[in-house]
C-alpha cells in the first residue's frame, strides 16, 4: 500500500520534473523562457535535488488542494439549504479531530527529512577546488578569483540601448563571470555597501551579500553547460537600480577557463576598475 | 434569550452627541469602530491605488509610466505599510473588534473608552505621517522591511525615512493601547455566565491577537528606535563599520514581523468562524480545538521568525531548526480548515454573500497555505527566496485572505452597524468579480516566481512578460470589483432596505443579533445572562 502510494507519487513527480527541460532558455542559454511555469533547468547537483524536491512538494500540495476543494464542492452541493433543510447537531468527533491533527504531522515529517538533507548538502563543500569571491555594490557585481592571482573585475549591467543583437534585455552584463564546469567552486560573498543577493536560479544558489560579513556556499556546474551562459539577478532590494544588476556566468571547460584567466589577467590588469565603473554608470540611465 | 438584551430598545430614543463630539471625541466603541473602518477604507483606496499603478507599470516589459525608479520602490514600500498597518489591522481589529467584541461578550463598552479614542487618533496621525513620508525628498524606498544599511542615513539620507519610522512608532503605540484595552475588556467585562469557553470564536481571535500585539510590537519599537538613533545620533547598532550588525535588525524586525502575520490573519479566522457557523445553521465543530489552535498558532508564531531570513547566511543548523519549527504551524492551521469544513458538513448552508466570501477565504487560505509549506523549507528557499512565488504566497494566504474576511465581515454585520441591509444580488456579483480578479492577479505570479522572477523590480526580462500581463489584467478585474464594493457601500447607506434585528435566521446565535439594528448607542438595556447556556458558538 505504502509502496504503491510512493510509486504513484514518484510517477507524478516524474511527469512534473520532466517538464523541466522544456523550460530551457532561448539559444540554449540558461534563463527563463516565455510563459514558463516551472523551475529553470537544474545545472548543478544542488539544483538537481531542489528541482526534484520541489516537484515532490508540488505533487503533495496539489493533492491536498484538490482534496480540500473536492470536499468544499461536495459540501456546497450536498449540504446546501435546498438539499439538506434540517442541519445536523454534530459538534464533536474525537476520532476525526485526532486524525486531522496527527495525519498532517506524518506528511510534514515526510517533507522535513529530505528537506534537511538537501539543506545540508547545499550548504558548503568540504573539498573546494577553487574560490570565487563576490562583492555586491550599488549597482554592480565585483568578482575576485583568489586562486588565479587574485584576478579581479567588475560586472556591470548593459542598458537596453547598448545591447547587441541576441543579447537578452535586463540580463546582459559587460563582463561575464567565467567558471569551469565539473569543478567544486567555493563561493564567498560580501558587500561593499547595502545588502544584495547573488542568486542563480538554475544553480539553486541564493545568498545575501552582507556588509561586514562573508557568507559561504558552493556550486558545481554540470558538464553539459559548457559554452552556455547562466543568468541570475540581484534578489534583495538594494536601492534605486536593484532590478538592474544581473548576473551572467559563462560556463567553460577547465582548459578554456585557464586560457580565459590568462587573457583576463592581461585585460583587467591595465584597466582601472573604478574608472571603468564611473564611465559605465554615467552611461547607464541612472535616474537618481 | 431574546428578551435578555433589551429587545424593545428600538422604541427608546438614544441621545446622540453633536457631530464633532460624536465622531472626534467619541468614547463609544461602536462609533470608534465605525471611524476605524472608514480610516481603513480610505487607506485601502490609497494603498490599493498604489498597487494598481505598480501593476500598470509591470503590465509590459520596459519602463512605461514610473520613470523614477526610486518612486517605484516608494510605491511598493508604502503599499506594504498601508495595507498591513492602516487597512487590515484597523479594519479587522479596530473596526470589527471594537464593534463586536463588547457586544458578543455582553459588555456595555470597552474597558478603557478614552484610551480607545486615543488609539484611534494616534493611528490617524500615523497614517498622515506615512503619507507625508512618501512625498518628502524621495520618500522611503526600502521596502516595508526597512533593512539597514539601505535604510540608514548614507543610503537614505532624506527625512522621509524618519517620518516613516515615527509613523510606525505611532501606529505601534496605537495598537499596543488597543490591545491592552481588548485584553482587559475580555478578561473583566464578560456578562455573567459568559465563561472563556463560551466566548464566540471571534472574541477568542481578538484575544490571542491582542496578546501577540502586546508581545511583538515593543520589539519592533526597540528596533525602530535603534534605527532612528543610528540615522540621527551617531549610534552603530546596525552598522558593521562601528561594530554593529545589519542582521540584528532583521532578527528584531522579524521577531515582530512574523507574529504580525498572525495579527493580520487571526481576526480573519474569527470572522470566518462566525460566518461559517451562522450560514451552516450549526455550532462550530470542535470549538475548543478551534480556540486552542489559534492560541497554538500564536505561541508557535513567536519561534519561527528566521524563516524570513534563510538567505542572510544563517548557520545551517539554525536554518534546519527554523525549517522544522515552521512546519509545525501547518498542524494548527490544518485543524482550522478541517474544522470549518466539518462545521459545514451536515449543515443547511445558505449561500449569502458573507458565506461566499467565507468559501473564498478557505480556498485562498488553502492555496496560500500549501505554498507556505514549500517556502518553510530552507532548501526550497534557495530558489524561491525573494521571487514572485513568495509574493503570490503571502497575498493568497494573508493579504487577500484578510481582505476576503473583511468583505465577509462587512456584508455580515453591515445591517447591525448601519441599520441598512446591502443588496444581496449585487453583493454576490461583487464577490464573483473580486474572486476571479484576485485569482487571475495572483495565481500567475506563482509561475513567474517558479521561473525565477525577483520581487521589487520595476522592469523584468522579456520572458516574464506573459504572466505579468495576465496578472495585470487580474488587477484590472480586481479594481472593478473594488469599485463595485464602494458603490454597494454608498447605496447601502443611502437607500438600503431596513435591516432586521437578525437577518440570518437560526444560525446567528451570538449576542449582537439579539439587539436591534442598528445597534443602539448604548447596547444593552439589561445585562445579558449567559449562565446555563451552551457555548455561544
Ligand atoms: Cu543588489
Amino acid at each position: 500500500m505504502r509502496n504503491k502510494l510512493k510509486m504513484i507519487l514518484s510517477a507524478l513527480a516524474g511527469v512534473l520534473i520532466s517538464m523541466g527541460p522544456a523550460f530551457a532558455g532561448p539559444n540554449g542559454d540558461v534563463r527563463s523562457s516565455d510563459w514558463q511555469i516551472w523551475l529553470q533547468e537544474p545545472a548543478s547537483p544542488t539544483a538537481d535535488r531542489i528541482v526534484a524536491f520541489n516537484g515532490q512538494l508540488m505533487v503533495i500540495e496539489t493533492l491536498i488542494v484538490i482534496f480540500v476543494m473536492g470536499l468544499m464542492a461536495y459540501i456546497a452541493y450536498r449540504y446546501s439549504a435546498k438539499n439538506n433543510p434540517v442541519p445536523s447537531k454534530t459538534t464533536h468527533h474525537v476520532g476525526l479531530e485526532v486524525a486531522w491533527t496527527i495525519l498532517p504531522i506524518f506528511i510534514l515529517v515526510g517533507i522535513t527529512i529530505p528537506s534537511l538533507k538537501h539543506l545540508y548538502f547545499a550548504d558548503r563543500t568540504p573539498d573546494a577546488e577553487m574560490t570565487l569571491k563576490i562583492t555586491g555594490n550599488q549597482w554592480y557585481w565585483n568578482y575576485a578569483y583568489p586562486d588565479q592571482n587574485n584576478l579581479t573585475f567588475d560586472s556591470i549591467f548593459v542598458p537596453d540601448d547598448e545591447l547587441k543583437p541576441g543579447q537578452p534585455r535586463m540580463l546582459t552584463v559587460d563582463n561575464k563571470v567565467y567558471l569551469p564546469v565539473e569543478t567544486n567552486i567555493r563561493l564567498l560573498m560580501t558587500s561593499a555597501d547595502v545588502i544584495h543577493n547573488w542568486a542563480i536560479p538554475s544553480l539553486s544558489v541564493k545568498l545575501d551579500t552582507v556588509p561586514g560579513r562573508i557568507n559561504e556556499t558552493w556550486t558545481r556546474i554540470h558538464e553539459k553547460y559548457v559554452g552556455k551562459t547562466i543568468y541570475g539577478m540581484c534578489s534583495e532590494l538594494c536601492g534605486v537600480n536593484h532590478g538592474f544588476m544581473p548576473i551572467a556566468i559563462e560556463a567553460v571547460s577547465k582548459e578554456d577557463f585557464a586560457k580565459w584567466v590568462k587573457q583576463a589577467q592581461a585585460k583587467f590588469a591595465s584597466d582601472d576598475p573604478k574608472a571603468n565603473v564611473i564611465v559605465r554608470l554615467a552611461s547607464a540611465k541612472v535616474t537618481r | 434569550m431574546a428578551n435578555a438584551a433589551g429587545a424593545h430598545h428600538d422604541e427608546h430614543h438614544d441621545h446622540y452627541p453633536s457631530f464633532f463630539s460624536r465622531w472626534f471625541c467619541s468614547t463609544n466603541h461602536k462609533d470608534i469602530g465605525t471611524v476605524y473602518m472608514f480610516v481603513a477604507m480610505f487607506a485601502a483606496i490609497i494603498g490599493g491605488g498604489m498597487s494598481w499603478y505598480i501593476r500598470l507599470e509591470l503590465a509590459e516589459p520596459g519602463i512605461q509610466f514610473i520613470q523614477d525608479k526610486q518612486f517605484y520602490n516608494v510605491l511598493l514600500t508604502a503599499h506594504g505599510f498601508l495595507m498591513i498597518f492602516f487597512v487590515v489591522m484597523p479594519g479587522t481589529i479596530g473596526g470589527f473588534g471594537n464593534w463586536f467584541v463588547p457586544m458578543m461578550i455582553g459588555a456595555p463598552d470597552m474597558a478603557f473608552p478614552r484610551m480607545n479614542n486615543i488609539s484611534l487618533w494616534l493611528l490617524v496621525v500615523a497614517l498622515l505621517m506615512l503619507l507625508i513620508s512618501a512625498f518628502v525628498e524621495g520618500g522611503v524606498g526600502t521596502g516595508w522591511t526597512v533593512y539597514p544599511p539601505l535604510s540608514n542615513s548614507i543610503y537614505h539620507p532624506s527625512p522621509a525615512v524618519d517620518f516613516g519610522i515615527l509613523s510606525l512608532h505611532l501606529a505601534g503605540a496605537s495598537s499596543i493601547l488597543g490591545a491592552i484595552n481588548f485584553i482587559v475588556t475580555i478578561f473583566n467585562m464578560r456578562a455573567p455566565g459568559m465563561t472563556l469557553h463560551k466566548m464566540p470564536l471571534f472574541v477568542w481571535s481578538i484575544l490571542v491577537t491582542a496578546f501577540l500585539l502586546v508581545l511583538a510590537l515593543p520589539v519592533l519599537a526597540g528596533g525602530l528606535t535603534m534605527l532612528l538613533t543610528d540615522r540621527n545620533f551617531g549610534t552603530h547598532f546596525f552598522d558593521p563599520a562601528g561594530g554593529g550588525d545589519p542582521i540584528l535588525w532583521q532578527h528584531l524586525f522579524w521577531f515582530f514581523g512574523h507574529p504580525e502575520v498572525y495579527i493580520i490573519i487571526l481576526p480573519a479566522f474569527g470572522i470566518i468562524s462566525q460566518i461559517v457557523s451562522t450560514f451552516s445553521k450549526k455550532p462550530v465543530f470542535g470549538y475548543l480545538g478551534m480556540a486552542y489552535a489559534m492560541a497554538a498558532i500564536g505561541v508557535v508564531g513567536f519561534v519561527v521568525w528566521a524563516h524570513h531570513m534563510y538567505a542572510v547566511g544563517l548557520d545551517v543548523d539554525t536554518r534546519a531548526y527554523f525549517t522544522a519549527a515552521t512546519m509545525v504551524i501547518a498542524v494548527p492551521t490544518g485543524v482550522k480548515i478541517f474544522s470549518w469544513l466539518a462545521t459545514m458538513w451536515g449543515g443547511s448552508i445558505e449561500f449569502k454573500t458573507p458565506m461566499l466570501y467565507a468559501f473564498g477565504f478557505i480556498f485562498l487560505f488553502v492555496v496560500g497555505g500549501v505554498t507556505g509549506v514549500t517556502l518553510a523549507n530552507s532548501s526550497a528557499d534557495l530558489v524561491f527566496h525573494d521571487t514572485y512565488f513568495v509574493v503570490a504566497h503571502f497575498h493568497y494566504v494573508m493579504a487577500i485572505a484578510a481582505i476576503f474576511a473583511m468583505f465577509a465581515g462587512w456584508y455580515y454585520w453591515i445591517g447591525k452597524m448601519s441599520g441598512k441591509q446591502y443588496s444581496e444580488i449585487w453583493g454576490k456579483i461583487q464577490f464573483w468579480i473580486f474572486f476571479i480578479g484576485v485569482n487571475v492577479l495572483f495565481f500567475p505570479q506563482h509561475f513567474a516566481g517558479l521561473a525565477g522572477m525577483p520581487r521589487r523590480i520595476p522592469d523584468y526580462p522579456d520572458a516574464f512578460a506573459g504572466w505579468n500581463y495576465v496578472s495585470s489584467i487580474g488587477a484590472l478585474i480586481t479594481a472593478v470589483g473594488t469599485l463595485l464594493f464602494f458603490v454597494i457601500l454608498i447605496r447601502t447607506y443611502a437607500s438600503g432596505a431596513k435591516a432586521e434585528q437578525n437577518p440570518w435566521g437560526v444560525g446567528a446565535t451570538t449576542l449582537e443579533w439579539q439587539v436591534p439594528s442598528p445597534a443602539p448607542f448604548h447596547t444593552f438595556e439589561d445585562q445579558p445572562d449567559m449562565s446555563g447556556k451552551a457555548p455561544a458558538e
Side-chain angles (χ1 to χ4, degrees):
Chain A
M1 177 64 200
R2 253 192 99 81
N3 281 339
K4 214 170 184 183
L5 194 72
K6 242 183 164 168
M7 260 173 58
I8 296 169
L9 276 179
S10 53
L12 276 167
V15 172
L16 287 171
I17 292 160
S18 66
M19 292 160 73
F23 293 106
N27 318 328
D29 282 347
V30 188
R31 58 187 163 98
S32 44
S33 52
D34 291 348
W35 299 105
Q36 179 168 334
I37 60 165
W38 202 242
L39 294 174
Q40 293 182 26
E41 54 182 316
S44 75
T46 302
D48 290 340
R49 285 162 165 258
I50 299 299
V51 171
F53 178 54
N54 179 62
Q56 293 152 5
L57 284 177
M58 228 40 116
V59 170
I60 296 168
E61 289 165 11
T62 309
L63 290 177
I64 291 171
V65 172
I66 290 171
F67 173 65
V68 176
M69 294 310 112
L71 278 177
M72 285 174 74
Y74 177 75
I75 288 168
Y77 168 75
R78 175 65 185 79
Y79 297 111
S80 66
K82 206 170 81 192
N83 291 340
N84 194 41
V86 183
S88 83
K89 295 263 176 277
T90 326
T91 56
H92 296 280
H93 189 293
V94 177
L96 210 53
E97 289 180 64
V98 170
W100 69 47
T101 311
I102 303 292
L103 269 177
I105 295 178
F106 284 108
I107 299 174
L108 293 168
V109 170
I111 292 171
T112 308
I113 290 170
S115 169
L116 295 185
K117 284 186 188 158
H118 303 322
L119 177 64
Y120 280 88
F121 179 81
D123 185 42
R124 48 185 81 175
T125 175
D127 45 348
E129 296 164 64
M130 65 169 278
T131 298
L132 175 69
K133 188 177 175 217
I134 299 149
T135 308
N137 292 266
Q138 279 184 325
W139 289 274
Y140 61 92
W141 299 99
N142 174 277
Y143 296 106
Y145 294 75
D147 305 323
Q148 280 75 25
N149 281 331
N150 214 21
L151 166 66
T152 305
F153 62 91
D154 293 328
S155 176
I156 298 167
F157 172 67
V158 176
D160 296 5
D161 48 7
E162 291 173 31
L163 288 176
K164 299 195 187 82
Q167 288 184 327
R169 215 179 62 82
M170 293 292 294
L171 290 171
T172 302
V173 295
D174 57 351
N175 298 311
K176 291 180 191 174
V177 54
Y178 279 63
L179 290 176
V181 296
E182 293 304 332
T183 308
N184 284 351
I185 304 164
R186 177 193 289 126
L187 302 168
L188 298 179
M189 308 199 189
T190 190
S191 168
D193 39 52
V194 303
I195 301 172
H196 303 264
N197 182 303
W198 199 77
I200 310 289
S202 57
L203 298 179
S204 287
V205 170
K206 183 168 276 180
L207 193 56
D208 281 357
T209 70
V210 183
R213 290 190 178 213
I214 294 179
N215 284 337
E216 179 183 339
T217 187
W218 73 289
T219 194
R220 182 187 177 94
I221 302 168
H222 288 323
E223 176 118 48
K224 70 177 204 187
Y225 293 98
V226 166
K228 303 276 166 61
T229 309
I230 301 173
Y231 290 96
M233 297 170 82
C234 177
S235 293
E236 185 61 59
L237 180 60
C238 58
V240 176
N241 284 324
H242 161 55
F244 306 85
M245 48 183 296
I247 300 150
I249 298 171
E250 186 74 10
V252 291
S253 66
K254 289 181 183 179
E255 301 77 53
D256 286 349
F257 179 71
K259 277 187 218 156
W260 171 81
V261 168
K262 284 221 176 65
Q263 292 166 7
Q265 273 163 346
K267 179 180 171 198
F268 294 114
S270 56
D271 246 28
D272 176 0
K274 286 285 174 265
N276 186 26
V277 170
I278 289 161
V279 170
R280 292 310 307 242
L281 281 181
S283 68
K285 276 192 207 142
V286 181
T287 16
R288 287 180 51 87
Chain B
M1 196 57 227
N3 56 355
H8 302 293
H9 219 311
D10 43 355
E11 289 158 27
H12 170 94
H13 287 284
D14 282 307
H15 296 286
Y16 291 106
S18 69
F19 182 84
F20 182 81
S21 338
R22 178 166 184 202
W23 297 112
F24 288 85
C25 308
S26 180
T27 54
N28 183 304
H29 70 105
K30 288 179 279 271
D31 288 350
I32 288 177
T34 302
V35 179
Y36 261 118
M37 285 219 273
F38 279 97
V39 170
M41 285 181 206
F42 172 74
I45 293 170
I46 301 173
M50 288 173 168
S51 65
W52 288 310
Y53 195 34
I54 290 172
R55 282 290 1 141
L56 186 66
E57 173 56 56
L58 293 176
E60 281 178 30
I63 303 278
Q64 273 77 235
F65 301 96
I66 308 175
Q67 300 298 334
D68 180 349
K69 295 171 202 153
Q70 169 73 7
F71 185 58
Y72 181 86
N73 293 346
V74 171
L75 284 177
L76 66 88
T77 305
H79 168 71
F81 279 141
L82 282 169
M83 289 311 202
I84 293 165
F85 290 96
F86 300 99
V87 177
V88 175
M89 288 170 67
T92 57
I93 307 169
F96 296 128
N98 259 309
W99 253 97
F100 294 107
V101 164
M103 254 189 237
M104 283 176 160
I105 61 174
D109 203 309
M110 296 287 282
F112 305 116
R114 292 184 185 189
M115 192 161 95
N116 207 6
N117 178 287
I118 197 83
S119 304
L120 166 64
W121 292 105
L122 277 178
L123 188 84
V124 173
V125 177
L127 175 58
L128 292 178
M129 298 260 289
L130 188 79
L131 295 179
I132 291 169
S133 85
F135 299 103
V136 173
E137 295 177 44
V140 185
T142 58
W144 86 285
T145 49
V146 210
Y147 284 177
L150 184 61
S151 60
N152 74 20
S153 51
I154 303 174
Y155 302 101
H156 262 88
S158 97
V161 179
D162 302 304
F163 269 106
I165 290 171
L166 289 174
S167 163
L168 290 193
H169 258 318
L170 288 179
S174 153
S175 292
I176 291 172
L177 294 179
I180 293 169
N181 213 344
F182 278 118
I183 292 172
V184 175
T185 306
I186 294 170
F187 278 149
N188 294 302
M189 296 180 62
R190 300 190 309 276
M194 176 62 81
T195 60
L196 282 176
H197 283 173
K198 280 188 193 169
M199 287 192 322
L201 282 173
F202 178 64
V203 182
W204 263 103
S205 73
I206 295 289
L207 180 65
V208 177
T209 305
F211 270 103
L212 296 188
L213 283 165
V214 165
L215 294 172
L217 277 167
V219 179
L220 175 71
L224 286 170
T225 307
M226 289 152 83
L227 190 58
L228 202 63
T229 60
D230 266 16
R231 289 177 52 81
N232 297 292
F233 307 116
T235 56
H236 297 99
F237 293 111
F238 308 126
D239 178 10
D245 181 4
I247 304 304
L248 172 63
W249 164 264
Q250 298 193 18
H251 282 294
L252 293 173
F253 181 85
W254 287 114
F255 186 84
F256 144 80
H258 195 74
E260 175 66 26
V261 174
Y262 300 120
I263 289 164
I264 288 170
I265 206 66
L266 285 178
F269 285 174
I271 294 170
I272 297 303
S273 295
Q274 302 304 135
I275 290 172
V276 164
S277 161
T278 295
F279 292 93
S280 306
K281 305 194 191 90
K282 269 183 74 203
V284 164
F285 186 96
Y287 167 85
L288 283 182
M290 288 289 257
Y292 285 100
M294 286 195 281
I297 291 169
V299 172
V300 182
F302 274 104
V303 292
V304 297
W305 74 91
H307 65 215
H308 297 272
M309 302 164 55
Y310 284 149
V312 302
L314 291 177
D315 183 79
V316 67
D317 296 332
T318 311
R319 280 180 283 153
Y321 158 75
F322 278 104
T323 298
T326 304
M327 290 289 183
V328 173
I329 300 234
V331 176
T333 45
V335 168
K336 302 290 302 180
I337 289 165
F338 290 123
S339 297
W340 285 321
L341 295 182
T343 304
M344 296 191 273
W345 192 274
S348 180
I349 303 172
E350 303 267 6
F351 282 98
K352 299 273 168 59
T353 310
M355 190 58 169
L356 287 179
Y357 266 109
F359 254 73
F361 174 92
I362 297 173
F363 171 77
L364 294 175
F365 191 72
V366 170
V367 173
V370 295
T371 55
V373 172
T374 295
L375 293 170
N377 293 286
S378 186
S379 48
D381 204 61
L382 290 168
V383 284
F384 289 121
H385 180 84
D386 230 53
T387 63
Y388 262 81
F389 194 82
V390 177
V391 176
H393 156 71
F394 71 74
H395 278 97
Y396 261 91
V397 79
M398 177 195 88
I400 298 300
I403 298 288
F404 266 49
M406 288 167 75
F407 277 141
W410 189 87
Y411 285 111
Y412 183 53
W413 281 314
I414 186 60
K416 189 58 60 186
M417 294 188 292
S418 70
K420 305 279 184 66
Q421 199 63 338
Y422 65 93
S423 148
E424 192 60 56
I425 179 77
W426 283 104
K428 283 179 175 160
I429 292 170
Q430 195 267 340
F431 165 79
W432 283 109
I433 294 174
F434 201 78
F435 180 77
I436 292 167
V438 294
N439 281 290
V440 176
L441 169 51
F442 289 110
F443 206 81
Q445 296 186 359
H446 289 116
F447 300 139
L450 277 156
M453 180 173 167
R455 298 167 69 177
R456 296 168 162 176
I457 53 175
D459 190 6
Y460 45 79
D462 300 345
F464 301 125
W467 292 123
N468 272 286
Y469 187 65
V470 176
S471 185
S472 290
I473 290 173
L476 188 65
I477 301 171
T478 308
V480 172
T482 309
L483 210 64
L484 184 56
F485 171 76
F486 282 104
V487 172
I488 292 171
L489 178 136
I490 292 166
R491 277 195 39 173
T492 304
Y493 275 99
S495 59
K498 171 136 183 37
E500 297 160 49
Q501 174 169 319
N502 173 8
W504 310 127
V506 291
T509 57
T510 41
L511 282 174
E512 79 270 28
W513 303 113
Q514 290 159 24
V515 298
S517 298
F521 198 57
H522 300 290
T523 315
F524 299 108
E525 224 114 280
D526 307 301
Q527 189 174 40
D529 189 344
M530 298 297 289
S531 311
K533 303 275 192 269
E537 270 313 303

